Structure formats: C-alpha cells, structure tokens
C-alpha cells in the first residue's frame, strides 16, 4: 500500500496468526532490492473495545512512534479486511486510541493527538553556522526548517539525504534523534521533503511530518488552515486543526491511501 507515496507492507494478523515480525525479517522484506520494498510494515487485527488494533514497524525494525500515512493506510486496509464497515472508525496503536474517517474509496482522514514539545524559531548550530529551526512532536518528533536557511538552494535540488542524515543525529535531539523536514511555501501551498528516521532516508511522504510542517507553517508564516501540503511524491495532503490561542486540537490528516498489489511471502 501507499499513502501519498509513503509505502507499506500490510498484514492481517487474523489471517496470519503465526506471523512473527523480527527486526531481521522486517529489514529483509522492506529492502527494495532483495525484498518487497517498503518504508515500513503495518499490521491490523480485531481488538476488543475498538474496531481494530494497528501495529507499525519502521523499515529498520524499530517501533514506538506513530506513522500518520501508515495509520491512514491501516484504516483503508482494515476496512478492506472487513474489520469495520462504517465510514468512521476507532482503533488502537502504541497504546493510544485514535479515530479516522473514510471519505471515499481512496481518501482517508486520520485524527492525530494534540501536538506536544512545540519550540518555535530557536537557533540550531549546524556545521559552524546558526540556522533558524522549529520543533514539534505530532506522534513522532519533527525538526522543521525552511530551505531558505541554507541560502538560495531550491527545495527540488536540496541535499535532503546528506543534510537530513546529519541533523537527524544532532546532539540536541539525542538519544532518540528526530525526523527532519525541509519546506518552502509557494502561494500558500507548503512544499515538503522529509528525511525519516527508522527508514534512514528521504521518503516520498511522511504523514506526521506533513502535520508538523503544516502546524509550524501556520504558526510561523500564517498559512491559513486547512493547510495543503505537497510532499516529494507530488500527492496532496491536507492538514486541518482547531487553534484556540496557544492550544491546538482536533488535528487531522487527509489524503490518498492506495493498494498497490497483493501477494504472498514466506516468513
């Protein structure tokens, strides 16, 4: 599956009760040369008190953070697997309850928890220079930087892999590190490229990153809500929320969730 280009391998645990997802197996099947190829793995299963339970694993086998596009794909996949049939859904992931909505066959809305750890416009030392940066946790930690901080480089030609990898391990964000987002705003549309931890590469889209960038762009640059985000894939994501002074709530991420193909693989 893919959510705006952010791609995942999805398993139904109810159909595969003996499925064991070790870090070694995850790394193998997420490998784009020797496996299926994906940014991460999603599992869904029936769960008491909610419509389904979702698990998310990064391509390196790590867990513990939220994946926004993965959640949207999980909603689509769980509905395909008849875990629920209504347009609105409740599910559990990483011990938290979430909600979503099926807008159409391929357009899925996911409601995130309110963001935390917001820091706007702080100085970040990088390779002998000081750049202006912002930070927010939207279920995963995200560093947000306007590409203009690096001179006249265009976002399309920016070294996301090289600079993103260095900033991902910046001492300020140790020991867990951070995702790194580079943006530019054109005619109120926010264009985004993300270096994603756990994948350890640029991804074609990042849901929690798009949400982070939308909120930062609204707070720093007064981009009107809802915010339209165009990630590397060129697919459109829309972030909506309610702002009441310094409080941000009812945050949602809407965009495409598509099934690429179905197949079988031996564990």
């Amino acid at each position: 599956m893919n959510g705006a280009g952010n791609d995942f391998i999805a398993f139904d645990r109810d159909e595969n009760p003996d499925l064991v997802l070790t870090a070694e197996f995850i790394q193998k099947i997420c490998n784009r040369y020797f496996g299926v190829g994906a940014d991460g793995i999603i599992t869904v299963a029936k769960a008491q008190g909610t419509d389904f339970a979702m698990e998310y694993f990064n391509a390196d086998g790590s867990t513990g953070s939220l994946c926004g596009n993965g959640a949207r794909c999980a909603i689509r996949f769980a509905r395909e697997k008849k875990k629920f049939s209504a347009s609105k859904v409740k599910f559990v992931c990483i011990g938290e309850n979430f909600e979503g909505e099926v807008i159409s066959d391929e357009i899925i809305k996911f409601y995130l928890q309110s963001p935390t750890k917001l820091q706007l416009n702080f100085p970040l030392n990088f390779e002998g220079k000081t750049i202006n940066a912002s930070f927010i946790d939207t279920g995963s930690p995200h560093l947000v930087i306007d590409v203009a901080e690096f001179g006249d480089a265009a976002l399309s030609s920016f070294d996301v892999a090289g600079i993103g990898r260095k900033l991902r391990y910046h001492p300020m964000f140790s020991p867990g590190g951070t995702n790194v987002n580079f943006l530019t705003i054109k005619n109120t549309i926010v264009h985004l490229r993300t270096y994603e931890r756990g994948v350890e590469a640029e991804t074609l889209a990042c849901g929690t990153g798009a949400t982070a960038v939308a909120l930062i762009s609204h707070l720093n640059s007064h981009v009107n809500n809802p915010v339209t985000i165009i990630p590397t894939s060129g697919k459109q994501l829309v972030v909506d929320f309610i702002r009441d002074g310094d409080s941000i709530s009812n945050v949602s991420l809407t965009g495409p969730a598509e099934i690429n193909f179905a197949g079988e693989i031996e564990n």
Side-chain angles (χ1 to χ4, degrees):
M1 303 186 70
N2 85 88
N6 208 181
D7 61 338
F8 312 98
I9 302 166
F11 292 101
D12 183 345
R13 283 197 177 274
D14 298 320
E15 293 180 356
N16 300 277
D18 298 324
L19 179 67
V20 177
L21 293 175
T22 64
E24 181 182 19
F25 177 67
I26 290 167
Q27 292 167 15
K28 177 181 177 181
I29 64 171
C30 286
N31 187 290
R32 298 189 183 278
Y33 302 98
F34 301 103
V36 178
D39 293 329
I41 288 179
I42 294 163
T43 73
V44 301
K46 293 178 182 177
Q48 287 188 338
T50 188
D51 291 304
F52 69 92
M54 169 193 171
E55 289 179 299
Y56 174 69
F57 302 84
N58 290 309
D60 66 0
S62 60
T63 61
S65 61
L66 179 68
C67 179
N69 285 324
R72 294 190 310 98
C73 285
I75 293 169
R76 168 83 191 273
F77 185 58
R79 197 167 195 249
E80 294 281 337
K81 292 297 182 178
K82 304 188 185 308
K83 310 296 183 193
F84 71 100
S85 58
S87 60
K88 294 186 177 181
V89 60
K90 295 182 179 181
F91 65 101
V92 63
C93 179
I94 55 175
E96 296 184 275
N97 293 319
F98 293 95
E99 297 183 6
E101 186 174 353
V102 178
I103 305 300
S104 66
D105 286 347
E106 292 189 349
I107 302 298
I108 304 294
K109 176 183 282 190
F110 167 54
Y111 291 92
L112 296 86
Q113 307 286 17
S114 295
T116 60
K117 303 178 183 178
L118 173 64
Q119 299 178 63
L120 294 176
N121 302 313
F122 60 86
L124 181 68
N125 295 320
F126 178 66
E127 295 190 336
K129 298 180 180 180
T130 300
I131 58 178
N132 184 67
S134 295
F135 181 89
I136 194 169
D137 193 313
T138 53
S140 290
H142 285 277
L143 180 65
V144 178
I145 303 172
D146 191 314
V147 73
E149 291 293 317
F150 295 89
D152 57 0
L155 183 64
S156 59
S157 59
F158 189 71
D159 182 15
V160 171
I163 295 177
R165 184 178 299 109
K166 293 176 182 178
L167 286 169
R168 178 257 191 271
Y169 288 105
H170 193 283
M172 181 176 287
F173 310 106
S174 65
T178 184
N179 301 283
V180 187
N181 304 271
F182 304 96
L183 69 90
T184 190
I185 301 172
K186 298 179 181 178
N187 300 321
T188 74
I189 305 297
V190 183
H191 297 260
L192 164 68
R193 294 178 66 186
T194 300
Y195 183 91
E196 199 166 338
R197 71 171 190 173
V199 182
E200 304 308 332
E202 180 181 5
T203 53
L204 294 184
C206 175
T208 55
T211 305
V213 165
L215 296 174
I216 296 296
S217 297
H218 172 75
L219 295 169
N220 276 347
S221 304
H222 309 293
V223 176
N224 288 335
N225 179 33
V227 181
T228 298
I229 303 286
I230 305 296
T232 305
S233 67
K235 301 279 189 176
Q236 179 176 290
L237 292 166
V238 176
V239 177
D240 202 357
F241 52 91
I242 295 173
R243 180 184 177 190
D244 183 6
D246 294 333
S247 175
I248 296 174
S249 61
N250 207 42
V251 181
S252 67
L253 173 71
T254 304
E258 303 168 305
I259 296 175
N260 298 346
F261 62 88
E264 295 182 359
I265 187 168
E266 292 184 3
N267 190 348

